[in-house]
Amino acid sequence: GKPKVVMLHGAMYDEARFIWDQMFPFLSKDYHIFALDTPRHGRSRPWEGNVDHSRLMDILHNAFDQLGLDRFSLVGLSMGGGLSIEYASLHLDKVSSMVLFEPGG
């Protein structure tokens, strides 16, 4: 099948469909695209409780497992880039490559 790509948005009012939607038609020709809203963003609102980095890494890892993503690329914007770096450092076996846009957060 097509290579799998997970796209992670930035912080504040960012959300997957708002940030990446115009790229989907082009990228989906060659890639299987997954764009997630992280806790407290987009369609994950409202979100109750604490979301520290450790919990967020667990949430992402569980989401990727639920989606059946065993090996994939990460694309991250701002906070999503920071999350990509952290996730890849914890799960080198799952992340094949990354594209980062002003990683931070």
Side-chain angles (χ1 to χ4, degrees):
K2 297 178 183 179
K4 298 169 187 167
V5 176
V6 174
M7 303 180 85
L8 298 176
H9 59 76
M12 301 299 289
Y13 295 106
D14 281 4
E15 58 184 85
R17 67 185 176 106
F18 202 58
I19 298 302
W20 307 115
D21 68 334
Q22 293 193 21
M23 297 177 77
F24 293 151
F26 302 102
L27 293 175
S28 64
K29 292 176 186 174
D30 298 310
Y31 302 95
H32 192 149
I33 303 295
F34 298 85
L36 309 176
D37 283 327
T38 58
R40 296 192 178 131
H41 293 83
R43 297 188 185 219
S44 74
R45 287 186 219 128
W47 186 277
E48 300 296 326
N50 186 27
V51 183
D52 61 13
H53 275 275
S54 176
R55 183 159 184 231
L56 191 49
M57 288 297 109
D58 288 342
I59 289 167
L60 288 176
H61 189 66
N62 289 333
F64 299 156
D65 280 349
Q66 289 292 316
L67 292 168
L69 300 175
D70 54 351
R71 189 95 170 125
F72 53 91
S73 296
L74 283 168
V75 175
L77 168 68
S78 187
M79 177 192 76
L83 294 174
S84 296
I85 292 168
E86 187 172 354
Y87 186 83
S89 73
L90 297 170
H91 303 282
L92 292 171
D93 58 318
K94 289 190 166 281
V95 179
S96 57
S97 66
M98 292 188 295
V99 176
L100 307 172
F101 299 96
E102 299 182 1

